[in-house]
Amino acid sequence: MSKNVLITGGAGFIGSHLVKLFVRKYPDYKIYNLDALTYAGNLESLKEIEQSKNYEFVHGDILDLPFLENLLVEKNITHIIHLAAESHVDRSISDPLIFIKTNVLGTASLLQAARKFWKNQKDHLFYHVSTDEVYGSLGEEGYFYENTPYDPRSPYSASKASSDHFVRAFHHTYGLPVVLSNCSNNYGPYQFPEKLIPLFINNILEMKPLPVYGKGINIRDWMYVKDHAVAIDVIFHGGKIGDTYNIGGHNEWKNIDLIKLLCQQMDQKLNRPKGTSEKLITYVTDRAGHDMRYAIDASKIKNELNWVPSLQFEEGLSETIDWYLANKEWLANVTSGEYQNYYDQQYLKR
Ligand code: NAD
Ligand code: DAU
């Protein structure tokens, strides 16, 4: 069946991979990419498909309800995959309100527009892309399951938890056909260099300090972004309405171990003497409320939808570094001007 799919946040990191996957794989679908182009959105990430017949970019804000209502009617949107968000934990600590606006009110506005327009619930879907951070922080043992109670601890995760609750509330109250997924830390090409891996790649290139928060002992479960996009595709087409799927790769890394691996790979690729990048490691004040460990149990998506990640981490990290080294212009463009000032100020505060 042909579908008119609205992907929000398609100029961001994960969204741009998802848009490219859908535009190429589903020529019968019309893909609309709605994005406000905040500091994190970049149309350069979509150059490869921007001329495709089944693709259209729409510049707009998910907080603008009348605009959303018109858009859904005008384009006859049948399906929504919602990724647009403020996504960086450190920014949520310095400026929580924009996270509440975009992530909570923005999601609620989109839900409200879909509810109004989708009179017949059949053949529609509202897919909410969420995070494992809603489950809180783990100790040394255990995993996040789909039924793990919510325990968000940063303004970012609290806003994502709230948006998840609204999505489920619209399903239970109004019968809106929804599905949700909660994924672990993504990495890969086109990630804005404020997140750990691209920030450190950029700093190593420029021989700048690598700010490791606290003792570097926090653990994250890393997922290659293209594997995440495939998982979203699989859930979009096969997920059960009303259900939630955890996405993760059983790929836990202590920050400092990951950083040392990154430093070694960078030295090799840049033909710098062994140990050059590690010398840039600088331990700084810990992130406030820093969650200790995230780890996803992804058995449900494996058993029900036959999805498993495709890439080993060392390979994915190497590909990621290669991409950044081959795309220094992209990196320079997105880090120029306002962002660089913002980053330098945040670094000085630590
Ligand atoms: P990102 O910050 O790279 O991109 C967010 C995009 O949303 C940007 O293009 C931005 O312009 C757009 N946007 C922001 N506010 C908007 C608004 N008001 N209206 C319209 N567009 C707006 O984010 P990402 O890392 O690609 O994450 C995408 C989604 O996936 C988010 O919902 C995030 O919570 C979730 N997620 C991210 C990760 C991760 O590791 N990055 C992991 C799990 C889940
Ligand atoms: O788990 C999924 C989440 O992963 C997503 O929902 C978020 O959108 C995404 O940003 C990410 O959140 P994290 O806070 O885990 O990612 P970040 O890259 O900011 O940090 C990864 C780890 O590295 C974390 O323990 C903090 C640490 N860190 C981060 C930065 C930016 C440092 O030690 N130094 C740094 O400069």
Side-chain angles (χ1 to χ4, degrees):
M1 192 197 92
S2 175
K3 299 176 174 27
N4 294 326
V5 184
L6 180 70
I7 297 182
T8 71
F13 168 47
I14 301 168
S16 65
H17 287 279
L18 187 70
V19 165
K20 284 182 272 198
L21 175 72
F22 267 57
V23 166
R24 287 176 175 139
K25 189 169 172 189
Y26 301 109
D28 291 349
Y29 297 1
K30 178 89 190 205
I31 309 300
Y32 296 95
N33 168 15
L34 167 62
D35 201 294
L37 298 180
T38 67
Y39 79 95
N42 196 325
L43 290 179
E44 270 188 63
S45 309
L46 294 153
K47 279 229 171 313
E48 297 155 41
I49 53 92
E50 68 185 2
Q51 301 299 335
S52 305
K53 282 206 186 95
N54 64 335
Y55 171 71
E56 188 176 324
F57 174 67
V58 183
H59 190 199
D61 193 328
I62 55 163
L63 282 158
D64 186 346
L65 184 55
F67 159 77
L68 291 176
E69 287 174 352
N70 281 339
L71 181 70
L72 263 54
V73 174
E74 191 193 316
K75 307 294 187 191
N76 187 24
I77 298 299
T78 56
H79 295 69
I80 297 175
I81 311 181
H82 176 40
L83 293 96
E86 288 293 334
S87 68
H88 191 40
V89 174
D90 291 328
R91 283 182 189 254
S92 83
I93 294 167
S94 47
D95 186 8
L97 289 189
I98 181 71
F99 283 70
I100 299 166
K101 284 183 195 145
T102 302
N103 300 357
V104 184
L105 268 178
T107 302
S109 303
L110 207 52
L111 286 163
Q112 183 72 347
R115 174 167 89 90
K116 189 168 167 190
F117 176 50
W118 292 347
K119 293 290 176 224
N120 171 6
Q121 306 291 309
K122 252 177 68 218
D123 300 330
H124 293 301
L125 183 66
F126 188 107
Y127 183 151
H128 188 226
V129 175
S130 193
T131 171
D132 60 355
E133 297 198 12
V134 298
Y135 299 122
S137 179
L138 292 164
E140 281 175 21
E141 308 260 303
Y143 294 96
F144 294 138
Y145 300 90
E146 281 81 0
N147 61 3
T148 299
Y150 273 31
D151 182 22
R153 295 146 53 98
S154 74
Y156 164 69
S157 53
S159 70
K160 291 297 290 187
S162 174
S163 61
D164 285 1
H165 288 322
F166 274 105
V167 173
R168 293 194 183 101
F170 271 62
H171 175 63
H172 289 291
T173 309
Y174 307 114
L176 195 75
V178 307
V179 72
L180 298 90
S181 59
N182 295 77
C183 186
S184 61
N185 285 61
N186 283 220
Y187 72 98
Y190 297 104
Q191 186 168 31
F192 192 83
E194 63 185 353
K195 310 280 164 63
L196 181 73
I197 290 178
L199 173 71
F200 279 31
I201 293 175
N202 194 33
N203 285 11
I204 290 172
L205 273 174
E206 298 185 4
M207 290 297 284
K208 280 184 172 173
L210 305 176
V212 178
Y213 298 165
K215 295 184 177 142
I217 54 174
N218 304 67
I219 292 173
R220 296 291 180 267
D221 180 357
W222 293 91
M223 157 74 43
Y224 193 56
V225 63
K226 290 184 190 176
D227 280 333
H228 186 189
V230 171
I232 294 174
D233 179 14
V234 163
I235 294 167
F236 179 83
H237 288 96
K240 202 167 144 244
I241 298 295
D243 263 23
T244 295
Y245 296 83
N246 279 354
I247 307 172
H250 283 290
N251 181 39
E252 290 180 53
W253 283 81
K254 197 182 275 184
N255 288 343
I256 193 64
D257 296 338
L258 184 160
I259 290 161
K260 286 185 176 164
L261 174 68
L262 177 69
C263 286
Q264 284 157 19
Q265 290 200 3
M266 287 292 286
D267 284 349
Q268 268 176 13
K269 289 175 194 288
L270 294 170
N271 287 320
R272 289 180 180 166
K274 253 187 178 172
T276 308
S277 303
E278 274 196 29
K279 286 197 191 117
L280 299 171
I281 289 176
T282 310
Y283 290 90
V284 297
T285 312
D286 208 353
R287 173 185 278 173
H290 198 172
D291 287 341
M292 184 48 76
R293 174 173 166 254
Y294 303 146
I296 284 272
D297 179 287
S299 332
K300 179 175 174 181
I301 184 172
K302 181 180 175 202
N303 297 337
E304 291 186 13
L305 300 174
N306 209 16
W307 173 91
V308 285
S310 70
L311 217 59
Q312 286 297 315
F313 183 65
E314 283 80 353
E315 198 187 333
L317 186 65
S318 173
E319 273 187 24
T320 303
I321 297 172
D322 289 343
W323 184 85
Y324 280 95
L325 295 183
N327 289 275
K328 287 190 188 137
E329 203 178 301
W330 183 92
L331 202 52
N333 287 348
V334 301
T335 50
S336 62
E338 207 183 304
Y339 168 70
Q340 201 52 59
N341 296 335
Y342 170 85
Y343 176 73
D344 291 342
Q345 273 171 19
Q346 296 301 316
Y347 181 73
L348 283 178
K349 279 190 205 153
R350 294 187 176 275

